[in-house]
Amino acid sequence: MITINVPQRDEVSQNNQAIFDNLEKQLGFVPNLYATYAHSDTALENYLTFSGAKTSLSAKEKEVVNLAVSEVNQCNYCLSAHTAIGKMNGFTDDQILELRGGSASFDAKLDALAKLAKNVTENRGRASANVTEDFFSAGYNKASFIDTIVQVGEKTISNYVHSATQVPIDFPVAQPLESNLV
């Protein structure tokens, strides 16, 4: 297997160096997965633009999608990062575990969102009719439906980058879901 390193600031383009500097100011560090995007002169900027684009989903709703998708795609890097971000968005440890499993018994609307995100990911975009109906019945609209699918795609990109590179996780590591259910 070929090892993909996490590039340091001096190993990336000037444009990516500026992005590293901004990430350092905003987050206090450059996450390894973001740094890995910087092997490309354009991928890091493109991904950050995509992930930060306007959406009808709130930050909390985006985390619901991110957690469900990352669990389906078995991306421990993204699960670890989004567990930390989920906590910053007000979710408890137990709620995060439930969201990773694709449900939210603590909130009917978020439950419909988690179920849709999980279903779309598992079925490669072919959402089940009953899951879609429940999503709309919970109060979401067509814009939210499309934005949810876009969020599934955005998170899947990072899941795949990590799966292909296996760069080290630089967040507190999320434990496998199964071990939390015992």
Side-chain angles (χ1 to χ4, degrees):
M1 183 168 132
I2 295 175
T3 302
I4 304 293
N5 69 306
V6 177
Q8 300 302 306
R9 186 183 183 282
D10 63 348
E11 298 175 290
V12 301
S13 69
Q14 286 186 340
N15 183 56
N16 283 332
Q17 288 178 7
I19 295 170
F20 276 30
D21 294 344
N22 285 335
L23 288 168
E24 187 78 40
K25 287 177 194 169
Q26 293 173 345
L27 306 175
F29 74 111
V30 178
N32 286 341
L33 192 61
Y34 285 176
T36 303
Y37 278 98
H39 280 293
S40 163
D41 289 341
T42 57
L44 178 58
E45 181 176 19
N46 290 343
Y47 178 75
L48 291 173
T49 298
F50 184 30
S51 68
K54 290 181 183 180
T55 177
S56 63
L57 300 176
S58 69
K60 199 166 191 170
E61 289 169 322
K62 284 176 69 171
E63 289 313 308
V64 169
V65 174
N66 292 340
L67 287 161
V69 170
S70 295
E71 185 65 41
V72 170
N73 289 330
Q74 300 175 342
C75 180
N76 209 32
Y77 187 99
C78 293
L79 286 170
S80 299
H82 290 289
T83 292
I85 297 167
K87 289 177 185 178
M88 290 188 299
N89 278 282
F91 290 119
T92 67
D93 288 333
D94 288 340
Q95 289 171 336
I96 288 168
L97 292 174
E98 194 174 345
L99 292 168
R100 286 174 55 189
S103 64
S105 64
F106 55 92
D107 184 296
K109 192 169 183 181
L110 294 180
D111 187 59
L113 176 62
K115 283 180 170 49
L116 178 66
K118 179 180 180 182
N119 186 259
V120 166
T121 307
E122 289 176 333
N123 296 307
R124 298 180 183 188
R126 292 178 280 285
S128 301
N130 62 323
V131 172
T132 303
E133 289 170 20
D134 290 347
F135 179 81
F136 289 118
S137 294
Y140 287 105
N141 59 29
K142 292 175 187 174
S144 300
F145 182 73
I146 298 301
D147 286 341
T148 298
I149 295 167
V150 169
Q151 188 64 34
V152 167
E154 181 260 302
K155 189 44 45 199
T156 298
I157 292 168
S158 279
N159 294 165
Y160 285 10
V161 169
H162 185 260
S163 290
T165 64
Q166 291 298 303
V167 297
I169 299 170
D170 48 358
F171 292 89
V173 177
Q175 297 306 306
L177 191 58
E178 299 77 26
S179 69
N180 292 306
L181 298 176
V182 177

